[in-house]
Amino acid sequence: MTPHTQAAAAASGPARSGDASAPHNIVELLIDAGDVSRDQLGYARRVQAKLEVPRPILEVLKDLKFISDEQIKAAVRKNPSPMCLGNLLVELGRIREDDLRVALTIQAEQGSGKRLGEILLERRLIDERSLIEVLSLQMGFPYVEPDFTEIDPRLFLKAPAKWYETHRFVPVRMDDGKPLIAFADPMDKAALNAAREVFGPAFTTAIARQGSIDRAIKRAQRTKQRERISPSDEGSIIAMVDGIIQAAVERKASDIHIEPLKEHIRVRFRQDGVLIHYDDFPSPLHGAVTNRLKVMCDVDITEKRRHQGGRFFVDQADSQLDLRASFYVTVHGEKIVLRLLNRQGLLIHIEEVGMSPRMLERFKEDALYLPSGVILITGPTGSGKTTTVYSCINHINDPQTSIITAEEPVEYVIDGISQCSINPRIQLTFEETLRHIVRQDPDVIVIGEIRDNFSAEVAVQAALTGHKVITTFHTEDSIGGLVRLLNMNIEAFLISSTVVSVMAQRLLRKVCSDCAVPYRPTPLDLQRLGYGPADVAQARFQKGQGCAQCQYTGYRGRVGIFELLILNEDIRNAIIDHKTSQEIRRISIDATGLTTLLEDGIVKAASGVTTIEELLRCLPRLQRPRPLPELQRLLEV
Ligand SMILES: [Zn+2]
């Protein structure tokens, strides 16, 4: 059974009936309890009637500070007869009344006794977490997330892991002298009996998502195995390190963080740009694990008080994995970060990096296909600049063109291109390489990154002598890229006559396509973007509810967000006249049709590719975005 059906299975008796004639609704309960007065309710209904975006009355009462979440929970719990799940979900604003009606109709038509929660999940009308939270309220069991909690090992060891897996529960901790046990379905008699057999009659029942229980069991099991490993058992240590690297490869992680904490060692992976907890292991093994990695990258294993860096390769089935290691001395010991570079990594077509059709067309015609000039790609570390640069090179790579690179390091190897990896250890420096690069008679020069005056000058000089230069820069947005070049002691007229385009970019996490559900942003979300509800009326926002495919994050893969500045006459004049960045930004928007990073992000969120949370987390908000229909027109989506 999938986690979804398990969760829905927890929706027992009252949920199954779908009975709309439940004794009370929450508002009546609150009035009976004296938490809300009739006057307050009347006032809230008048406020509700005036709202542009409809909101449930409970939400309005909360906004007006007449009641709190705690009061709502207490009122539902005190109610002697359990309330109908469907009505609770509507009243709490978790589903719409229309959706409930649809689900109840399906339930009646199928007549197979399928539970309401199950139908809502199947139809993606609710996410599992929301459903479990409301079920916990309805049935009065606390809601826990065992996978985020330290599982008490003494409790866990009382039964074999298989037992927990079969009966879909896991003991979490001692609570008031009694074990607290999390069940996927707290009404499942067999599971309750199984728990009684092991823990006796007295325990506290809690409800949790099936996926959360599974992950907690797996993690506790691994910890149990680790405790038996001795630091001197070389074979087990090697297997453990290999296991971590293998898991990172399988999850397509870009980095592995192994960090000593006070109590234990924590292992996290960076996946889609975000750190995700993978595993813990006991502190006594840290020294052995560190030594193993130091041996692999051939650095001094006796040196434990200084930072060190190294590198090693791991053979994969069809490629070679290149790992860069950094050992950083902390108060709890050495923290290790491994960066995974896949040298035969997937090279993506420029059509697939995520530029809107109109922007891609302009980028090709007005930048990439010009015979000479500097093309700048800017953004912070991890914003996907390198991928974009490689997709550009790959796009213009043909037998008539000589392309040469100076990179630190070469991340993908592309056939037909002369790529050089900078290596300061053997005096193969950036400066030295750039001095030689123009003598190689190239058509296109790729400079990994503009990092100082010297590299900026080389780029500009090469463009002046008729070369096409593609390079990257560390700046917030496209205008920032121009301004920073201007601050590098290069004549304004040289910049204005060589730079042809500046592309700023970010990578945002994509909504998982396996568990996406439509959702409506809150007025506060919209306000933070600078919008009112009317500005995004036709948007189709989506959110991942979390599934096995996305490791319950709701996100899978990433999408590029772009801001393309093509330098035209107006911008060139503005540069020569030393206009401020605000003035250049205004001219870019008015005269070149520039859409900002935030605007490109909004268009992508409005089509359900990413979420508003991701926009707010990653994109600069320098000015109010234009209304969605206008942006869709500008980007032709
Ligand atoms: Zn998913």
Side-chain angles (χ1 to χ4, degrees):
M1 251 197 224
T2 68
H4 288 173
T5 53
Q6 296 293 0
S12 61
R16 187 181 311 199
S17 73
D19 175 12
S21 64
H24 281 300
N25 63 40
I26 303 177
V27 177
E28 281 171 37
L29 288 174
L30 289 165
I31 288 181
D32 286 354
D35 289 332
V36 177
S37 70
R38 295 256 170 222
D39 285 349
Q40 285 175 323
L41 179 61
Y43 178 71
R45 290 219 189 276
R46 287 197 294 280
V47 171
Q48 187 190 27
K50 289 192 185 130
L51 292 176
E52 272 185 68
V53 179
R55 269 167 92 68
I57 190 72
L58 277 180
E59 295 290 303
V60 179
L61 285 165
K62 273 198 309 197
D63 288 349
L64 293 170
K65 305 257 184 290
F66 291 160
I67 46 159
S68 66
D69 274 327
E70 283 316 306
Q71 284 172 308
I72 296 176
K73 281 185 197 160
V76 177
R77 292 221 166 102
K78 263 190 279 172
N79 188 30
S81 50
M83 299 180 68
C84 161
L85 175 69
N87 290 352
L88 265 181
L89 290 168
V90 172
E91 269 202 88
L92 293 167
R94 305 298 174 99
I95 57 172
R96 290 184 307 185
E97 212 162 346
D98 297 349
D99 294 341
L100 173 61
R101 230 171 288 136
V102 170
L104 289 175
T105 313
I106 295 171
Q107 193 181 33
E109 276 170 5
Q110 290 181 340
S112 57
K114 209 176 218 182
R115 285 153 176 179
L116 179 65
E118 217 172 328
I119 296 170
L120 289 171
L121 284 177
E122 271 172 12
R123 296 251 141 187
R124 296 187 174 182
L125 296 170
I126 194 168
D127 63 281
E128 195 187 7
R129 186 188 300 247
S130 269
L131 176 66
I132 298 274
E133 272 171 12
V134 177
L135 279 172
S136 128
L137 189 63
Q138 185 207 25
M139 301 195 276
F141 300 122
Y143 167 52
V144 289
E145 303 234 23
D147 58 335
F148 290 118
T149 324
E150 241 9 279
I151 300 288
D152 185 334
R154 279 160 308 176
L155 286 177
F156 187 82
L157 288 175
K158 290 198 173 191
K162 262 265 156 292
W163 183 262
Y164 299 129
E165 275 168 7
T166 313
H167 296 289
R168 295 152 35 219
F169 72 83
V170 66
V172 180
R173 58 169 180 269
M174 290 303 283
D175 204 39
D176 270 342
K178 286 187 293 184
L180 176 98
I181 302 180
F183 291 85
D185 181 356
M187 308 302 277
D188 177 347
K189 291 220 169 60
L192 290 165
N193 283 334
R196 265 183 223 117
E197 259 177 60
V198 180
F199 298 98
F203 55 78
T204 308
T205 304
I207 181 168
R209 291 184 291 162
Q210 172 77 40
S212 180
I213 292 174
D214 286 346
R215 272 166 286 151
I217 294 172
K218 287 227 170 62
R219 200 184 60 195
Q221 223 179 338
R222 272 199 306 259
T223 312
K224 203 169 82 183
Q225 288 159 356
R226 296 275 159 75
E227 312 254 89
R228 295 201 210 108
I229 300 177
S230 133
S232 59
D233 175 0
E234 208 180 322
S236 299
I237 296 291
I238 290 174
M240 193 172 129
V241 170
D242 289 351
I244 293 172
I245 295 172
Q246 207 44 51
V249 170
E250 277 161 22
R251 294 174 183 214
K252 300 196 173 71
S254 60
D255 303 81
I256 302 171
H257 290 229
I258 301 173
E259 43 200 334
L261 305 180
K262 217 164 129 221
E263 304 286 343
H264 58 274
I265 310 302
R266 177 171 68 182
V267 182
R268 292 186 294 175
F269 294 158
R270 190 175 292 282
Q271 291 168 242
D272 293 337
V274 178
L275 279 174
I276 293 182
H277 182 251
Y278 165 65
D279 205 0
D280 296 320
F281 60 86
S283 296
L285 300 184
H286 185 235
V289 168
T290 311
N291 282 352
R292 167 69 188 152
L293 284 164
K294 283 183 174 171
V295 167
M296 288 171 95
C297 34
D298 200 16
V299 302
D300 186 356
I301 61 164
T302 60
E303 179 59 82
K304 295 176 169 53
R305 294 166 308 169
R306 285 176 190 282
H307 311 310
Q308 295 192 81
R311 171 179 194 187
F312 61 96
F313 298 93
V314 174
D315 283 326
Q316 299 291 134
D318 52 353
S319 64
Q320 197 180 40
L321 187 68
D322 179 357
L323 290 109
R324 266 145 210 272
S326 160
F327 301 86
Y328 186 86
V329 184
T330 76
V331 288
H332 296 305
E334 287 167 279
K335 176 182 170 186
I336 308 161
V337 172
L338 305 173
R339 163 151 282 204
L340 284 71
L341 303 173
N342 194 342
R343 316 193 96 202
Q344 261 79 45
L346 288 173
L347 193 58
I348 58 176
H349 285 287
I350 195 150
E351 282 77 17
E352 287 158 17
V353 298
M355 282 181 234
S356 74
R358 176 96 183 265
M359 190 187 280
L360 178 63
E361 212 40 52
R362 287 194 68 198
F363 180 63
K364 283 185 192 166
E365 294 301 328
D366 299 336
L368 208 50
Y369 296 165
L370 295 186
S372 67
V374 178
I375 297 169
L376 273 175
I377 316 280
T378 87
T381 307
S383 57
K385 298 188 296 269
T386 313
T387 305
T388 304
V389 168
Y390 281 120
S391 72
C392 290
I393 306 173
N394 197 38
H395 187 71
I396 54 177
N397 184 17
D398 63 40
Q400 290 83 47
T401 312
S402 154
I403 304 177
I404 190 160
T405 78
E407 307 170 65
E408 189 179 5
V410 169
E411 290 186 35
Y412 301 128
V413 177
I414 307 179
D415 210 25
I417 292 178
S418 317
Q419 293 173 274
C420 168
S421 238
I422 304 299
N423 188 353
R425 269 207 212 166
I426 54 160
Q427 315 306 317
L428 181 61
T429 62
F430 219 63
E431 233 174 82
E432 178 70 7
T433 306
L434 292 185
R435 267 187 241 290
H436 283 270
I437 213 165
V438 274
R439 297 181 208 158
Q440 281 284 316
D441 182 32
D443 300 298
V444 180
I445 299 173
V446 178
I447 301 175
E449 186 189 343
I450 291 197
R451 42 167 66 195
D452 52 18
N453 271 14
F454 176 73
S455 42
E457 247 164 60
V458 171
V460 166
Q461 285 303 330
L464 277 179
T465 50
H467 299 94
K468 191 179 322 195
V469 181
I470 302 175
T471 184
T472 75
F473 216 18
H474 250 268
T475 58
E476 272 277 292
D477 67 346
S478 60
I479 314 295
L482 271 189
V483 171
R484 221 183 117 199
L485 261 189
L486 284 165
N487 292 337
M488 283 184 131
N489 281 332
I490 299 177
E491 292 288 347
F493 77 90
L494 285 180
I495 293 169
S496 84
S497 55
T498 53
V499 177
V500 294
S501 76
V502 188
M503 171 83 85
Q505 79 169 83
R506 292 291 188 285
L507 283 180
L508 263 52
R509 288 186 292 168
K510 259 163 110 168
V511 173
C512 169
S513 51
D514 283 294
C515 61
V517 286
Y519 90 109
R520 283 175 301 170
T522 64
L524 182 67
D525 282 340
L526 293 178
Q527 205 182 322
R528 288 165 78 192
L529 289 178
Y531 274 160
D535 293 318
V536 290
Q538 324 74 331
R540 295 192 316 273
F541 293 105
Q542 291 200 103
K543 211 179 208 166
Q545 57 181 354
C547 67
Q549 268 69 39
C550 60
Q551 285 148 41
Y552 301 91
T553 57
Y555 293 102
R556 197 150 52 102
R558 287 193 285 178
V559 60
I561 303 292
F562 299 91
E563 172 179 306
L564 173 64
L565 173 67
I566 297 283
L567 277 75
N568 67 0
E569 219 37 53
D570 298 316
I571 308 276
R572 295 189 197 284
N573 289 335
I575 294 171
I576 294 171
D577 296 343
H578 293 279
K579 290 267 184 351
T580 65
S581 59
Q582 284 90 333
E583 286 169 312
I584 299 181
R585 181 168 296 112
R586 194 184 44 72
I587 296 170
S588 312
I589 290 174
D590 294 346
T592 74
L594 176 118
T595 45
T596 65
L597 281 169
L598 179 62
E599 290 177 330
D600 192 40
I602 286 170
V603 170
K604 281 169 179 144
S607 61
V609 176
T610 185
T611 62
I612 292 180
E613 281 92 333
E614 280 292 284
L615 306 187
L616 296 171
R617 185 175 73 87
C618 303
L619 302 181
R621 280 172 278 162
L622 298 167
Q623 61 189 60
R624 221 185 114 95
R626 286 162 282 187
L628 181 61
E630 190 178 340
L631 297 176
Q632 286 169 329
R633 213 164 37 244
L634 280 167
L635 293 162
E636 267 182 18
V637 287

